[in-house]
Every structure is written in structure tokens, then in C-alpha cells.
Amino acid sequence: MLERLTAGREPDERLLTGPRGGVLTTASVRDATKWDQLVTDLELTSLTRHGLRHTGATWLADAGIPLHVLQGILGHKSIETTRGYLHPDTRHLTDAAARANAFLDGQETPTQEALIKTRRAAAPGR
């Protein structure tokens, strides 16, 4: 979808615009998605657009998107604001443990087998 949306666009050109071609605001997204009615129909009245934004940004951070790139995507002026979207998950913590173990064992990087072994050991219910 992103390839289709970006085809023929200049790098600094807006990807999405509001209904009149200007800035896309939260109000125009709310109205276009009929957000208030949607959360009422789903009985998820505590679901917020910002919560979805935060979840999406956290997933991007977990996927390894560099912090300065994520900052640009989110439009944050301060990198400290963007840091709030970083939440280490089990995979990252177990990978860090495997890398530390490999280093301490004199290896430059852990083997794929070591990564898998560490993840399995950290998996719930084991």
C-alpha cells in the first residue's frame, strides 16, 4: 500500500492530506472513521486513537526502526518524547541475554542456535 501511495511523490510531499488537501488532523480522522460510533458499537469506549498510535509506534520500535526515524514518523520535536515508545519485550531481552552470553564466552556474536535456546528458556510455561 505504501508503494502505491508514494508512487510519483516528492520525498517531502505529504503522504496523507485532510479532506481539503491540507494537514490531516485528528478531528478529520475521527470524522472519516466515524470513530465515536465505532468504539460505541464495539463496546470499547476506552479505546483511543492515541492508544492505537502508541501501539503502532511501539511495534515499529520493537521491529528495530531507528529511534530518529520513528521520531520523524511521529512528528516529535524531542527524541525524549519518542523514547517513551520504547518498551523492551521478551524477545529483545532474551536476544540481549544471548548476545551477552556469547560475548562472555569469547564469541563475537551468538549463534542462531544460542538465540533459539535462550528464547525457548525464557518462554512462558517452560
Side-chain angles (χ1 to χ4, degrees), residues 57-124:
T58 299
W59 287 346
L60 290 173
D62 287 348
I65 303 299
L67 196 58
H68 70 283
V69 173
L70 190 56
Q71 177 187 12
I73 291 169
L74 296 172
H76 294 155
K77 290 182 180 175
S78 167
I79 197 82
E80 294 307 314
T81 302
T82 310
R83 283 188 201 282
Y85 290 83
L86 301 179
H87 308 289
D89 65 15
T90 303
R91 184 190 61 208
H92 290 105
L93 296 174
T94 56
D95 284 353
R99 290 180 192 287
N101 286 336
F103 176 79
L104 294 172
D105 287 341
Q107 301 170 7
E108 201 166 303
T109 58
T111 63
Q112 191 62 29
E113 294 81 23
L115 288 171
I116 292 168
K117 183 179 175 184
T118 306
R119 285 184 188 149
R120 284 186 181 150

Side-chain angles (χ1 to χ4, degrees), residues 34-48:
K34 299 178 177 41
W35 182 265
D36 297 332
Q37 189 61 51
L38 177 71
V39 296
T40 299
D41 292 347
L42 293 173
E43 298 179 358
L44 296 172
T45 53
S46 63
L47 184 65
T48 65

